[in-house]
């Protein structure tokens, strides 16, 4: 169960962040993980109700996506918020699913690259709305969100290669495979509906957004199975 | 350099060559298909001729895929039960797909159904593709050869990452009017193509 004893070598980006430490409290050596059997103090009904509210919010946002423009943009942010909130709530309320703690010193770079991805995504959308994405700069703006995305992939690969224990590796790989499979199923279904004129155009950057939402859900589901 | 290393290197190049040959072959088939469709249209051929041409095209692509999978299996020396089952199931799903797709396209084009029937016909070609995605998942679960499983898993992860990056960039290029629209069903074929480079990438580590 114990991660391989690989302390900071004193070099590299990740270790430099480690020595700053305090931001996430992820120091090396890591604190002992919380007991997986400890349960949340709130009654089960309350927890399930709050999760239900989050699911309702997400469904309402998903429905609102079909409305005209200012509302649909609002709905998109509401939906992504609801998904993040939902996965966080499940992790808080059911401590046994808290598998993320073992991301260790890779958590900050991963969060950083995912935040940069979101910033680049929304930045590109805003620049497009402002009409600043025309011409050759458009190529640069379009490529920008892919850079932190590649960064996240590389951080995840480094984590799997260097620091993940066998269980964590299996859980990460399995949830990524599930999320990828579900995303491909969705794109395929939507694509054919679109080809035959039964569904609206889908801009392809939504594919990656859907993947990340499903990755967080799959992480929770798979984590629960390996509890 | 030892002979084993040499053999490994040769095999990698052979694998890359076979992969490129497949891509080139499918590309050529697509080109010939569109050229012949245009030719048939110009000569006012009926729906039967167009449908027949599509079926021939589908059969040719299927045949190329089958030959590639056989060659690939021969080269990598994978003879596990799971790999055989995977090839068989995948080719079955693809055959059903080609048949369903061509039927659905013809039906939607010439019968012009509406409502639920139209949706059912539009979803129909997606089902065998979804089955093909499932077949890959089942293969990963059934494969008893640890090395092969690790290899295919890593390749799938690289391909997934690649497709996300491509989709993001392309989506924005399209939004900015710098690239044509691509329908989202293209994600799965591109993912499958990316499995090739993904395998080469994963294989490099195990040389």
């Amino acid at each position: 169960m114990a991660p391989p004893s690989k302390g900071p070598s004193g070099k590299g980006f990740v270790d430099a962040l480690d020595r700053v430490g305090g931001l996430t409290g992820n120091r090396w050596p890591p604190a002992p993980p919380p007991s997986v059997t400890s349960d949340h103090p709130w009654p089960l009904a309350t927890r399930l109700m709050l999760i239900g509210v989050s699911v309702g919010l997400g469904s309402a946002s998903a429905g609102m996506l079909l409305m005209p423009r200012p509302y649909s943009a609002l709905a998109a942010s509401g939906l992504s918020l609801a998904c993040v909130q939902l996965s966080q709530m499940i992790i808080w309320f059911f401590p046994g699913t808290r598998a993320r703690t073992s991301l260790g010193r890779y958590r900050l770079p991963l969060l950083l690259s995912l935040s940069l991805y979101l910033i680049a995504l929304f930045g590109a959308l805003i620049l497009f709305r402002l009409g600043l994405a025309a011409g050759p700069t458009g190529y640069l703006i379009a490529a920008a969100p892919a850079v932190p995305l590649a960064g996240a992939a590389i951080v995840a690969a480094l984590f799997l290669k260097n620091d993940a224990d066998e269980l964590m590796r299996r859980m990460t790989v399995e949830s990524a495979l599930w999320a990828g499979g579900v995303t491909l199923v969705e794109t395929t279904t939507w694509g054919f509906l679109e080809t035959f004129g039964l569904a609206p155009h889908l801009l392809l950057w939504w594919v990656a957004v859907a993947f990340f939402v499903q990755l967080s859900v799959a992480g929770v589901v798979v984590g629960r199975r390996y509890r | 350099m030892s002979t084993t290393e040499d053999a490994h290197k040769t095999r990698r190049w052979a694998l890359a060559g076979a992969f490129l040959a497949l891509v080139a072959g499918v590309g050529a088939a697509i080109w010939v298909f569109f050229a012949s469709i245009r030719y048939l249209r110009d000569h006012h051929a009926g729906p039967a001729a167009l449908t027949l041409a599509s079926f021939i095209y589908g059969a040719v692509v299927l045949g190329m895929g089958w030959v590639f999978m056989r060659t690939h299996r021969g080269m990598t020396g994978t003879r596990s039960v799971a790999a055989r089952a995977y090839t068989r199931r995948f080719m079955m799903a693809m055959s059903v797909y080609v048949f369903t797709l061509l039927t659905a396209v013809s039906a939607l084009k010439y019968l012009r159904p509406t409502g639920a029937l139209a949706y059912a016909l539009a979803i129909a070609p997606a089902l065998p593709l979804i089955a093909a995605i499932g077949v890959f998942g089942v293969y990963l679960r059934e494969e008893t050869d640890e090395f092969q499983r690790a290899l295919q898993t890593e390749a799938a992860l690289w391909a997934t990452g690649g497709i996300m990056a491509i989709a993001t960039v392309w989506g924005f290029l399209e939004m900015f009017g710098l690239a044509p629209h691509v329908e989202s069903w293209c994600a799965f074929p591109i993912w499958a193509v990316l499995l090739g480079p993904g395998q080469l990438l994963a294989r490099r580590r195990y040389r």
Side-chain angles (χ1 to χ4, degrees):
Chain A
M1 277 306 282
S5 57
K6 237 184 187 179
S9 57
K11 279 182 286 183
F13 179 61
V14 176
D15 290 332
L17 284 171
D18 257 5
R19 266 178 275 117
V20 182
L23 274 177
T24 55
N26 285 326
R27 291 181 173 281
W28 193 273
S35 160
V36 284
T37 48
S38 73
D39 219 351
H40 199 271
W42 295 5
L44 185 68
T46 318
R47 286 183 269 159
L48 286 180
M49 203 184 72
L50 281 169
I51 284 173
V53 168
S54 186
V55 171
L57 193 80
S59 322
S61 305
M64 261 174 72
L65 277 178
L66 299 173
M67 290 167 77
R69 207 181 246 172
Y71 302 104
S72 64
L74 203 73
S77 25
L79 186 63
S80 50
L81 211 100
C83 290
V84 172
Q85 188 198 352
L86 183 65
S87 61
Q88 273 302 317
M89 273 215 285
I90 291 174
I91 289 164
W92 282 331
F93 288 160
F94 299 96
T97 58
R98 197 177 290 150
R100 280 150 195 242
T101 43
S102 31
L103 271 178
R105 55 204 191 112
Y106 286 87
R107 181 196 275 193
L108 188 57
L110 205 60
L111 278 178
L112 214 69
S113 45
L114 286 181
S115 323
L116 279 177
Y117 166 69
L118 281 180
I119 289 170
L121 198 73
F122 282 108
L125 283 174
I126 290 164
L127 285 175
F128 173 66
R129 287 280 150 82
L130 294 175
L132 294 174
T137 41
Y139 289 99
L140 281 180
I141 298 170
V147 175
L149 205 125
I154 289 167
V155 171
L158 279 178
F159 165 68
L160 288 178
K161 192 172 153 232
N162 295 332
D163 267 30
D165 57 26
E166 195 48 46
L167 180 71
M168 193 62 201
R169 181 173 296 145
R170 271 180 72 167
M171 285 191 338
T172 314
V173 166
E174 211 170 290
S175 43
L177 287 177
W178 271 112
V182 170
T183 311
L184 286 178
V185 167
E186 287 163 359
T187 53
T188 305
T189 313
W190 187 285
F192 280 111
L193 284 175
E194 193 192 319
T195 300
F196 297 125
L198 299 169
H201 255 31
L202 182 75
L203 286 166
L204 284 180
W205 52 264
W206 277 109
V207 175
V209 176
F211 173 76
F212 280 120
V213 170
Q214 271 138 202
L215 188 63
S216 61
V217 176
V220 171
V221 175
V222 171
R224 195 149 176 77
R225 241 198 13 211
Y226 279 108
R227 197 150 65 130
Chain B
M1 196 182 271
S2 70
T3 38
T4 6
E5 227 170 289
D6 260 353
H8 272 278
K9 205 161 208 177
T10 322
R11 204 164 66 183
R12 240 170 32 149
W13 283 112
L15 277 174
F19 180 71
L20 285 179
L22 174 76
V23 172
V26 172
I30 291 171
W31 188 81
V32 168
F33 173 63
F34 278 114
S36 50
I37 288 289
R38 181 173 294 170
Y39 176 83
L40 287 172
R41 283 241 173 87
D42 286 350
H43 288 75
H44 306 290
L50 287 173
T51 312
L52 185 70
S54 310
F55 271 95
I56 292 172
Y57 159 72
V60 166
V61 169
L62 271 180
M64 281 196 279
W66 185 76
V67 168
F68 173 74
M69 283 177 105
R70 284 301 292 265
T71 324
H72 186 266
R73 209 172 62 190
M75 273 191 229
T76 51
T78 332
R79 290 194 183 74
S80 73
V81 182
R84 279 165 183 279
Y86 169 62
T87 311
R88 198 182 57 237
R89 290 173 190 154
F90 190 82
M91 289 320 289
M92 245 157 68
M94 282 299 137
S95 314
V96 175
Y97 164 65
V98 168
F99 181 76
T100 323
L101 178 69
L102 296 175
T103 312
V105 168
S106 311
L108 282 164
K109 195 166 177 189
Y110 299 116
L111 301 180
R112 299 193 180 284
T114 49
L117 182 64
Y119 276 93
L121 275 174
I123 295 277
L127 296 179
L129 280 189
I130 292 169
I133 298 168
V135 162
F136 188 79
V138 168
Y139 166 67
L140 285 185
R141 184 156 290 185
E142 280 183 355
E143 179 62 89
T144 44
D145 185 341
E146 285 291 332
F147 169 69
Q148 279 300 325
R149 192 166 59 196
L151 199 73
Q152 303 298 345
T153 306
E154 200 179 323
L157 290 178
W158 282 120
T160 308
I163 195 77
M164 294 311 151
I166 292 174
T168 305
V169 175
W170 194 278
F172 279 106
L173 285 178
E174 189 199 325
M175 199 166 96
F176 302 157
L178 299 169
H181 179 62
V182 170
E183 276 148 8
S184 61
W185 55 259
C186 288
F188 178 59
I190 295 173
W191 179 84
V193 168
L194 286 178
L195 277 182
Q199 276 185 19
L200 285 182
L201 212 63
R203 210 169 262 282
R204 222 178 42 145
R205 272 214 326 213
Y206 299 109
R207 257 188 300 186

